């Protein structure tokens, strides 16, 4: 027995279209400026600019991957892929998170070499960094117009851009110190600070996406509260074999077995249970199996207790 609300599909389609649109425009802007910043970093000999351009390259790749993931996710479910291909969005988010960590490690490695032998850096790098800051603010604004709060794939792309934004701020500060005091060492210091922030973002995205891939419980859902709420309903004697996981970050799913009183109207109880789960815990896709008090089916079930 189960229930799936149509409003989830309608809401998902609206967010999905919005996410694709903001990602496409963000991708074009980031890719074009990445080329300009890479050239500027080479001309001015600035690691802060070069590392930021490298991060922008990963941004463009991340957004491109996210766009591919969204398009693949549009493919309909089949007999072999009964949930469709939407899980590919999480695979893309995992790759993006891992890319953030690798980029941070690369920046650390380059910065260490520059600490040993600080090179001469052209302070005019600050002009390019200021333009980069403006570009990143525009792209971040675009991405925040999408559903980044719930969609892990879009959130990973947004974190890439925030990392770039911080990189631009770091390059501006480093450029100011180089112009005013000749402190060339400010360049690798700014790079290290940005790398630390990037690695934390990458770790969080990787952790969240891996949790979904491992069928882990969504962080915003309290399984104990669900079990207690169901147990308090008239006619339900016990709740077991309760599982909550996500297909994607926007698609939480639940299944459970309910031991019910033999005299209860099971159709009415099923509707009430689905409504409770949907309205109080925001889970639209749930599969509920009902068993009588004397049933022995549950003895062969795995339980989360």
């Amino acid at each position: 027995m189960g229930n799936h609300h149509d409003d989830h599909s309608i809401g998902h389609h609206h967010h999905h279209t919005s996410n694709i649109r903001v990602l496409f425009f963000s991708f074009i802007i980031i890719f074009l400026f990445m080329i300009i910043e890479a050239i500027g970093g080479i001309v001015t000999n600035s690691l802060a600019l070069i590392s930021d351009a490298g991060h922008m390259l990963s941004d463009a790749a991340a957004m491109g991957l996210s766009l591919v993931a969204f398009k693949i996710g549009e493919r309909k479910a089949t007999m072999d892929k009964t949930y469709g291909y939407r899980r590919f969005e999480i695979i893309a988010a995992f790759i993006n998170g891992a890319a953030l960590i690798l980029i941070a490690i690369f920046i650390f490695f380059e910065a260490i070499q520059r600490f040993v032998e600080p090179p001469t850096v052209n302070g005019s790098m600050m002009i390019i960094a200021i333009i980069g800051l403006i570009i990143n603010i525009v792209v971040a604004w675009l991405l925040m117009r999408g559903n980044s709060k719930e969609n892990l794939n879009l959130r990973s792309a947004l974190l890439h851009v925030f990392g770039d934004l911080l990189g631009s701020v770091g390059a501006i500060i480093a450029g100011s110190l180089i112009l005013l005091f000749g402190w060339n060492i400010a360049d690798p210091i700014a790079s290290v600070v940005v790398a630390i922030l990037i690695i934390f973002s990458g770790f969080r995205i990787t952790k969240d996406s891996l949790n979904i891939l491992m069928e882990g419980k969504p962080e915003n859902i309290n399984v104990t509260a669900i079990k207690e709420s169901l147990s308090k309903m008239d006619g339900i004697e016990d709740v077991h074999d309760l599982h909550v996981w996500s297909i994607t970050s926007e698609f939480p799913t639940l299944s459970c077995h309910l031991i019910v009183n033999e005299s209860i109207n099971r159709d009415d109880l099923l509707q009430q249970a689905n409504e409770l789960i949907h309205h109080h815990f925001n889970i639209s896709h749930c599969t509920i199996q009902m068993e009588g008090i004397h049933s022995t089916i549950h003895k062969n079930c795995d339980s989360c207790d």
Side-chain angles (χ1 to χ4, degrees), residues 11-30 63-64 66-71 74 89 138-148 151 153-154 157:
H12 172 77
H13 178 73
H14 171 73
H15 292 313
H16 186 81
T17 303
S18 175
N19 290 343
I20 289 178
R21 185 165 51 246
V22 298
L23 264 176
F24 176 75
F25 287 114
S26 299
F27 171 78
I28 296 298
I29 294 170
I30 287 291
M63 290 176 189
S66 296
L67 283 169
V68 171
F70 279 128
K71 295 305 292 183
E74 289 178 347
E89 295 177 17
V138 170
V139 172
W141 176 78
L142 277 173
L143 290 174
M144 284 177 5
R145 289 170 65 92
N147 193 31
S148 60
N151 187 280
N153 196 30
L154 191 64

Side-chain angles (χ1 to χ4, degrees), residues 96-274:
N96 286 339
L100 282 169
I101 295 172
L102 291 175
I103 289 165
I105 292 172
F106 171 76
I107 295 172
F108 277 128
F109 179 75
E110 290 293 321
I112 289 172
Q113 292 183 316
R114 292 203 170 202
F115 276 121
V116 177
E117 296 181 18
T120 301
V121 180
N122 190 330
S124 61
M125 59 177 261
M126 190 170 61
I127 298 173
I128 300 173
I130 291 172
I131 299 172
L133 177 63
I134 295 170
I135 292 292
N136 283 312
I137 289 173
V138 170
V139 172
W141 176 78
L142 277 173
L143 290 174
M144 284 177 5
R145 289 170 65 92
N147 193 31
S148 60
K149 196 169 187 179
E150 294 183 10
N151 187 280
L152 186 60
N153 196 30
L154 191 64
R155 179 149 48 101
S156 68
L158 182 60
L159 284 175
H160 272 271
V161 173
F162 276 141
D164 269 340
L165 197 152
L166 292 171
S168 298
V169 171
I172 290 170
I173 294 172
S176 300
L177 293 174
I178 291 168
L179 281 174
L180 295 174
F181 307 106
W183 292 353
N184 288 322
I185 200 170
D187 186 65
I189 290 175
S191 300
V192 167
V193 172
V194 172
I196 291 171
L197 296 172
I198 290 173
I199 206 165
F200 274 111
S201 297
F203 177 77
R204 182 59 188 268
I205 287 294
T206 304
K207 174 176 169 288
D208 289 350
S209 56
L210 189 60
N211 182 60
I212 292 176
L213 292 173
M214 292 294 294
E215 309 289 354
K217 176 191 75 68
E219 286 188 3
N220 63 328
I221 294 177
N222 188 327
V223 174
T224 302
I226 294 175
K227 185 170 183 178
E228 289 176 351
S229 297
L230 288 172
S231 298
K232 291 176 182 177
M233 294 181 66
D234 291 337
I236 296 180
E237 305 294 331
D238 188 30
V239 180
H240 68 96
D241 203 32
L242 174 61
H243 301 282
V244 181
W245 70 101
S246 296
I247 304 303
T248 70
S249 49
E250 299 173 283
F251 192 172
T253 307
L254 175 147
S255 68
C256 69
H257 291 195
L258 305 178
I259 297 180
V260 301
N261 192 296
E262 300 288 357
S263 61
I264 200 74
N265 185 313
R266 294 193 180 190
D267 288 338
D268 290 343
L269 183 59
L270 177 62
Q271 182 177 350
Q272 293 168 22
N274 273 296

Side-chain angles (χ1 to χ4, degrees), residues 16-70:
H16 186 81
T17 303
S18 175
N19 290 343
I20 289 178
R21 185 165 51 246
V22 298
L23 264 176
F24 176 75
F25 287 114
S26 299
F27 171 78
I28 296 298
I29 294 170
I30 287 291
F31 183 77
L32 292 176
F33 186 74
M34 177 268 296
I35 296 173
I36 297 172
E37 192 169 41
I39 295 171
I42 293 170
V43 171
T44 61
N45 195 31
S46 169
L47 174 62
L49 276 185
I50 294 172
S51 63
D52 197 41
H55 191 205
M56 274 198 161
L57 175 61
S58 78
D59 287 350
M63 290 176 189
L65 181 61
S66 296
L67 283 169
V68 171
F70 279 128

